[in-house]
Amino acid sequence: MRWIDNHCHLESDTLAEVVVQAAAAGVERMIDVGTDAASSIAAVAMAAASERVWATVGVHPHEASRGIGGIEGLLGSDRVVAVGESGLDYHYNYSPPEDQQVVFAAQIEMAHRHRLPLVIHTREAWDDTFAILDSGGVPERTVFHCFTGGVEEARAALDRGAYLSFSGIVSFPSADDVRAAAELCPLDRTLVETDSPYLAPVPLRGRPNSPANLPLVGEAVARVHGVASELVAEHTWENATAFYQLEP
């Protein structure tokens, strides 16, 4: 089985080790996600250092109060495959909601202008997320990363043509809503991720996460659909390859 970790956060000092461990587990490709200018620059550098890693460039809602200066200039690299992670997070409100909304809208526009996919983080902000997306126009390739909604939110995202990416949360005993969303989501619109170093899947919950653990997420999605893990691996590999326009 071949897997693509659709969303992870890598560190330069452990990159070589993480890549080797991931490959040994069948995780052959990783999307390293930027959350501000500094992490986006680092992601581009790590993608340049490893043929198994690609980068996204974006400003997380937690960082929105700092603006998006310096982000767009990174989009010219051929190792950058998406804008984000962008979006809204009203759980913590580390940045004021008004700043989050402005920066999210700017990144939607950026994705359109550069014809790149959009990576969305949304938490306790579904109505505003969909409203801003509808206003700016949903980019042709859009993914809701680490999907934490239920059936209603999943249907709203799918109706807008988006993909849903499931993390280790789909394996948590309390995550019935997420599993219901995963069951609703067709396999040809499903992606899988670790969001490492966060959200290690069962039975590793509570430990630092790593891309090598992605097959456990895939197995949890497979159980939801009642299919073999090989089928989930095949679909999510093809989906991510097409979504990010990676080499076959």
Side-chain angles (χ1 to χ4, degrees):
M1 288 185 285
R2 301 182 301 170
W3 298 94
I4 297 177
D5 190 344
N6 172 68
H7 192 112
C8 57
H9 303 280
L10 304 176
E11 296 291 340
S12 59
D13 58 346
T14 58
L15 177 64
E17 178 183 4
V18 166
V19 168
V20 169
Q21 291 174 346
V27 183
E28 298 185 9
R29 295 175 169 181
M30 289 151 276
I31 309 299
D32 186 20
V33 175
T35 57
D36 59 13
S39 64
S40 295
I41 291 169
V44 174
M46 282 184 279
S50 174
E51 64 180 7
R52 296 185 184 273
V53 177
W54 285 261
T56 79
V57 169
V59 176
H60 190 285
H62 290 345
E63 311 297 331
S65 59
R66 301 180 184 181
I68 58 172
I71 294 297
E72 190 162 8
L74 300 171
L75 294 176
S77 168
D78 61 2
R79 303 297 292 178
V80 172
V81 293
V83 174
E85 66 187 278
S86 62
L88 305 175
D89 191 317
Y90 294 169
H91 181 76
Y92 290 110
N93 278 330
Y94 288 147
S95 289
E98 296 80 7
D99 290 349
Q100 295 184 44
Q101 293 163 15
V102 168
V103 168
F104 180 34
Q107 289 178 94
I108 294 171
E109 194 276 332
M110 195 180 296
H112 281 300
R113 191 165 62 252
H114 291 271
R115 298 182 180 179
L116 285 170
L118 181 70
V119 179
I120 296 176
H121 167 111
T122 183
R123 187 173 185 186
E124 299 179 16
W126 289 103
D127 288 346
D128 284 354
T129 297
F130 288 132
I132 293 170
L133 264 177
D134 292 344
S135 177
V138 183
E140 182 178 355
R141 290 171 288 150
T142 293
V143 60
F144 284 82
H145 111 87
C146 191
F147 190 83
T148 56
V151 166
E152 181 179 351
E153 292 81 10
R155 186 172 288 114
L158 293 168
D159 286 348
R160 289 167 170 82
Y163 288 69
L164 307 184
S165 181
F166 295 96
S167 70
I169 292 174
V170 75
S171 71
F172 293 1
S174 61
D176 290 337
D177 284 353
V178 174
R179 280 187 289 277
E183 184 177 12
L184 173 73
C185 185
L187 285 178
D188 62 5
R189 300 275 286 283
T190 297
L191 296 170
V192 287
E193 65 176 85
T194 60
D195 201 16
S196 62
Y198 316 107
L199 300 176
V202 172
L204 305 175
R205 191 172 180 185
R207 305 179 193 177
N209 203 3
S210 169
N213 297 329
L214 185 65
L216 292 172
V217 179
E219 290 169 11
V221 173
R223 286 194 297 272
V224 166
H225 284 276
V227 300
S229 297
E230 288 83 355
L231 186 62
V232 174
E234 178 182 349
H235 274 281
T236 57
W237 177 278
E238 292 175 355
N239 294 344
T241 298
F243 185 88
Y244 294 110
Q245 297 186 344
L246 308 179
E247 310 91 63

